[in-house]
Amino acid sequence: PDAMYTSRPESRATTPKQFDDGAATVLGGFQSLRSFCDQKDPACGDFVAPALLAAGRGFRSANLLAKSISAFKILLANPSLPGGKELAQTATLEIADLYMNVGGFDEAASYYERAARERGPDFEKARDRAAFIRSAFQDSGGPPVKPSSAACPSPLLCGVRYLLAERRWTAPKP
């Protein structure tokens, strides 16, 4: 009987498919609990919000960034979950980082600004990143650029334009 209570090694996902499957299972579980959570039933325990955060991270580990953003947004849409408000601030930063990684600079700046307004963990970092993104596109002479805009077709090109616009990178005039 004591063997039943001994700890077993945890199995962890190691492949993108395992991360995807695990995160999808968590989202499926949330869908089955959603009515309980909406009614603030105790069955919707304090494990739900961390599970949604873990699902978003699982999709990110599987390099499924759109699914990751969607999972994080489910957490943001349900702030009344036990512990949801605190984890929503973390999810907001992670969404901003994901948008930044895929070149969605305007969306990234918006989520960084949201995280800064909420004054959660790392709000100063969020404020600074939002200011950097906004000023980078202002310095390039154009409006905030969305990924589909012809003014900035790639994150690399946007970065190069930003560096060229900075005074410290321009050659002195003779």
Side-chain angles (χ1 to χ4, degrees):
D2 291 333
M4 192 163 80
Y5 298 106
T6 60
S7 65
R8 294 182 219 165
E10 292 183 31
S11 67
R12 295 193 179 264
T14 57
T15 67
K17 174 142 180 43
Q18 289 172 331
F19 281 111
D20 181 26
D21 291 345
T25 300
V26 168
L27 288 185
F30 174 70
Q31 292 304 327
S32 66
L33 286 174
R34 181 171 279 210
S35 63
F36 294 109
C37 295
D38 290 342
Q39 297 169 9
K40 301 199 184 338
D41 188 295
C44 180
D46 57 359
F47 60 90
V48 176
L52 289 171
L53 186 68
R57 290 174 174 170
F59 284 131
R60 184 186 61 212
S61 295
N63 207 26
L64 300 169
L65 304 184
K67 282 184 170 183
S68 179
I69 290 169
S70 295
F72 289 137
K73 285 184 176 182
I74 291 171
L75 180 57
L76 294 183
N78 294 283
S80 63
L81 293 172
K85 186 175 181 182
E86 296 80 18
L87 293 178
Q89 294 171 343
T90 301
T92 301
L93 280 173
E94 295 201 26
I95 290 170
D97 290 343
L98 287 167
Y99 275 123
M100 186 73 171
N101 289 343
V102 298
F105 300 113
D106 195 44
E107 286 293 317
S110 295
Y111 277 95
Y112 283 132
E113 289 165 347
R114 178 178 174 172
R117 277 192 310 273
E118 293 172 356
R119 312 273 295 171
D122 296 326
F123 83 92
E124 289 135 346
K125 178 172 67 172
R127 181 196 59 216
D128 293 345
R129 287 181 181 178
F132 173 79
I133 293 168
R134 296 292 186 206
S135 69
F137 290 112
Q138 185 179 20
D139 289 347
S140 70
V145 179
K146 296 186 180 185
S148 61
S149 173
C152 188
S154 75
L156 177 63
L157 183 57
C158 290
V160 169
R161 285 183 183 166
Y162 173 73
L163 291 174
L164 290 174
E166 280 194 326
R167 288 188 185 124
R168 66 180 167 173
W169 296 106
T170 57
K173 300 204 188 257

